[in-house]
Amino acid sequence: MLRGSCMCGKVKYELRGDPIVTYYCHCGKCRKQSGSSFATNVIFRKEHLVFVEGEESISRWNSSPGKHRYFCSGCGSPLYSHGENRKHIVSVRAGTLTDPLPLAPSVHAFVAHKANWVEITDDLPQHPEYFA
Ligand SMILES: [Zn+2]
Ligand SMILES: [Zn+2]
């Protein structure tokens, strides 16, 4: 089990299962939402994500058709995203984990959209769009 929270601590969650894949997301929406160069996301089965505190503080934004991004309405921390086309999984923001992440990133996604200042220097596979 892994624990995580938003920055202000109002929202606390647990991941009651194993991570499926950790990836770097270079899409423009993750970049805008994070205000950073790219996002590090971890995929879990949806039923493994359980909110233990503050679920009522979560807001969501429909970032593209059928896709929602969930964040803390108090502090703005992005928490996870969920898409109608991949209903059974959630993509959790690795940076909101409190516990160490047991699965290192294995792939770069949406590399076609990466910020022009980002230079990928590792040997992980790079996908121009999503990897699955
Ligand atoms: Zn918060
Ligand atoms: Zn993204």
Side-chain angles (χ1 to χ4, degrees):
M1 194 266 285
L2 293 172
R3 292 166 305 160
S5 78
C6 64
M7 180 167 55
C8 75
K10 242 185 226 166
V11 180
K12 290 191 168 63
Y13 65 82
E14 291 178 0
L15 291 156
R16 299 178 179 169
D18 294 326
I20 297 165
V21 61
T22 302
Y23 67 102
Y24 296 118
C25 191
H26 296 274
C27 85
K29 285 173 178 151
C30 281
R31 183 162 60 251
K32 286 275 185 189
Q33 194 191 28
S34 67
S36 189
S37 304
F38 53 85
T40 309
N41 299 328
V42 201
I43 293 177
F44 285 86
R45 290 195 64 81
K46 188 173 187 300
E47 68 267 23
H48 289 160
L49 174 61
V50 178
F51 289 93
V52 291
E53 270 180 54
E55 192 168 4
E56 69 285 350
S57 297
I58 299 173
S59 294
R60 71 176 196 177
W61 186 65
N62 188 206
S63 62
S64 44
K67 180 157 182 183
H68 291 96
R69 289 170 181 265
Y70 294 80
F71 57 95
C72 174
S73 56
C75 67
S77 290
L79 295 164
Y80 73 104
S81 64
H82 181 242
E84 301 293 328
N85 58 342
R86 294 186 186 89
K87 266 191 183 332
H88 61 295
I89 58 165
V90 287
S91 192
V92 176
R93 284 303 171 91
T96 65
L97 287 168
T98 305
D99 291 327
L101 176 61
L103 186 65
S106 58
V107 61
H108 291 271
F110 294 100
V111 170
H113 308 274
K114 80 173 176 61
N116 65 356
W117 65 82
V118 170
E119 188 189 348
I120 297 173
T121 56
D122 61 40
D123 296 323
L124 298 177
Q126 299 182 21
H127 289 265
E129 303 292 331
Y130 196 59
F131 51 84

